[in-house]
Amino acid sequence: RDSEQAEIELLSGWEKQKRTSSKSLKKALSEVKGLASYLVLWQNDIHSIEGKFGNGIQSYFSFLRFLVLLNFIIFILMFSFVTLPIIISKYGIFNSTIAYIPPKNIEGNCTIYEPSDNEGLVYFYTYLKDLFSGTGFLEVTSLFYGYYTVDAVWISITKYNLPLAYLLATFAYLTLSFVWIMKRSAKGFMQNLVHEADPFQSYCNKVFAGWDFCITDPSAAQLKHRSLRYELQVDLEEEKLRQKIAERTKEEKLRIYSLRIFINIIVIAILSGCFYSIYRVTAFSQENSSDTENANSQANLLVQYLPSMVITLANFIGPLIFSFLIRFEDYTPAFEIKLTLMRCVFVRLASIGVLLFTLWSQISGCGKDKCEPCGYNYKLYPCWESDVGQEMYKLMIFDFLVILAVPLFVDYPRRLLVTHYSCKLIQWFGLPEFQLSDNVLEIVYGQTICWIGTFFSPLLPAIATIKYFIIFYVKKAILIHACEPAPRPIRASGSTFFFLAVLLIGLVLAFIPLAVSIALIPSSKACGPFRNFNTSWEAIPDKIREYPTVTQQILFGLASEAFAVPLFVFICIVMFYFIALARAHKRVIEQLREQLVLEGQDKTFLIRKIAEAQK
C-alpha cells in the first residue's frame, strides 16, 4: 500500500483522477452485483439448505429453481406469439381482426367438432370434474389446441401467420430448453471430470483452498463449514468403499455379480409389467370414457383418470422397489444414485411413451374404414390434438396432487409416529429420508409432460411454473421438518451433471412424439390452426412457396438429402477432430503430472542431501 501511495504521488492530476474514477466504478459495480444477488430466486433458502444438508441436496433445489425459470420463459414465449395475437384480435385492439379460411376438398364429417361446453344451470360437481379432466368449459378456453382455430390475424394492415407462428414457437421452446440444459451441464461436467481425474487433487483443493476468505458473517461461515464437512464426508465414504471393493475375493465377486444379474432380471420383469398395464388401461379408458350414457357420472371421471392413476402408481411403487433392491448390489453412493435414476427413468419417462403410443394407435387406427375420409379416427377424436392435451393436463394435475399428498398423509404422520411411539415395528420403519433420485425423477417426469403437452396445450407451462414454485416450499418443509439427512451423503458436482443428463433424456423423449405428431399424423380438420394442412409441418413449405423462386430453391435445397448428407459428414469430421484433440490434451496432462511427480522427487532428494551435508 505504501509503495502504491508513493507511485500515486508522482502521477499527474489527470492520472490521479482517472485512477480514482476507475476504483469508484469497480466499487460501484461490486455493490450492484452484491445487490443483484439478493434478487436471485430463493438464494438465501438454497444457501441455508446447502449448509444443513450438503451440496447434493442443494443441487436438487437449484435444479428445481432452474425448471421454474425455464417454464416461465416458455410460457412467455407461447403466450406472446400464440395466445396474445388471438386475444388482441378478438377484442379489436390495434384495429385487428381474425381471418378464417374454410377447409377445401374435405368431407363435412371431418369438420364437425362440438366440445361439450356447459350451458344453463350446471352443478358445481360438473365444474369440478371439468377442472380436473380438462373437458367442458375448460376445453373451449385458450388452454387447449382447439381454441386456436384461426388461419391468420390481421393487425392493422399486417398479416400475422398464426399456423407458422405456432410451429416456430414450438421449435423455439425446444431449442431454448436444449441450449440452456447444455450450458448448465457444461459446468457440472467439467467439475465431475476434474474430480474423477484425480480424487486426491480434489481432496487437497478442499483442505487447502476450499475456504472462502471473503466470508465475514458468522452464520455464512457456519454454512460454509458444514458444506465442506459434507464434501469431505463424501470423499471418505467413497474411498472406504473403493478399498472394500479392492479387497474382495473371487468368491465374493462371484456372489455379488450373480446377485446383480438376478436383481436386473427382476427389474426387467417389473418394467415389462408396468408398460403392459399402462397400454391396456389407456386403451380401455379411451374406448369407454366417451360413453355418452355415462358422461356425467363419477365413474366416467374415474375412467378418464385411469391412465394417470396407473402411471402414477407405477411411478410410486417402482422407485420404492428399485431403492430397496439397490442396497443389495453394493455400489458406491454416486453410482447407486445413477443406476437408480436410470431404472426410474425407464418407468417414468417410458410410461409417457407407452401412453402416447396407445393414443396414436387409437387415433390412427383405421380398422373398418373408421378414418378413410379424414386420415384419422374422426368419430372418436374429432379434435385429437385437444384430446392429447387433455391427457397431458390430467397427468400433470394428478402428479401434482400426489406430490402434495405424500408429505401430508405419509411423511409427516410417519415422523410423528416414530418420534412419539416406541413400538418396535414403528421404529423399524424409521424416519423418512429425502431420497434424491426419487425427487429428481418426479420433476423430470413432470417437465417431460410439459414439453410434450405444450404443443397441444400452449398454456401448460404456466401451470408447470406454479406447480414447481409450490413444490419448492413443500419439499423444503419436508426436508427440514419431516425427513432426516441421508445416511450416505451425496456429491454435488456429479449429481448436478447427472440431473441435467436425465433431463436431457426427457427432452429427447419429448421431441420424438412431437416430431411424429407434427410430421406424420394428419392434423385435425375440425379445429386448430393447421386444419387446412394435411400435417402441421406443411405450414412451413406453404410459407416458403410465397417467396421468390430463387429463395425457394435455396431453402428447399437446404432441406434436401443432397445438403443433409455432406453436412452430416462434415459434423462427423469435426467431432472426430475434437475427440482426437481431447485425447492429445489428455496425454499432455498425464505427462505433466508425471513431470510434477519427478520434480517433487528431485526436490526431496536435494533436501535430503543438504541435510546430510549439514550434519
Side-chain angles (χ1 to χ4, degrees), residues 88 90 96 125 171 174 190 302 318 327 358 377 393 418 440 464 529 569 603 607:
I88 290 174
K90 284 195 172 182
S96 57
Y125 164 77
F171 295 152
L174 291 173
M190 288 187 291
L302 181 63
R327 299 175 183 175
T358 310
N377 194 342
Y393 173 80
V418 172
V440 169
V569 172
K603 290 177 180 178
I607 291 171

Side-chain angles (χ1 to χ4, degrees), residues 302-317:
L302 181 63
V303 169
Q304 289 184 32
Y305 259 91
L306 270 179
S308 302
M309 294 169 66
V310 171
I311 289 174
T312 304
L313 185 64
N315 294 343
F316 181 73
I317 295 177

Side-chain angles (χ1 to χ4, degrees), residues 544-568:
I544 293 176
R545 291 187 187 98
E546 298 178 3
Y547 296 148
T549 306
V550 177
T551 307
Q552 290 184 36
Q553 292 176 351
I554 293 174
L555 293 176
F556 283 123
L558 293 175
S560 65
E561 293 84 356
F563 178 78
V565 173
L567 178 64
F568 177 75

Side-chain angles (χ1 to χ4, degrees), residues 330-342:
D330 200 13
Y331 290 117
T332 61
F335 188 77
E336 208 172 273
I337 293 173
K338 294 177 182 179
L339 185 59
T340 306
L341 273 173
M342 291 306 300

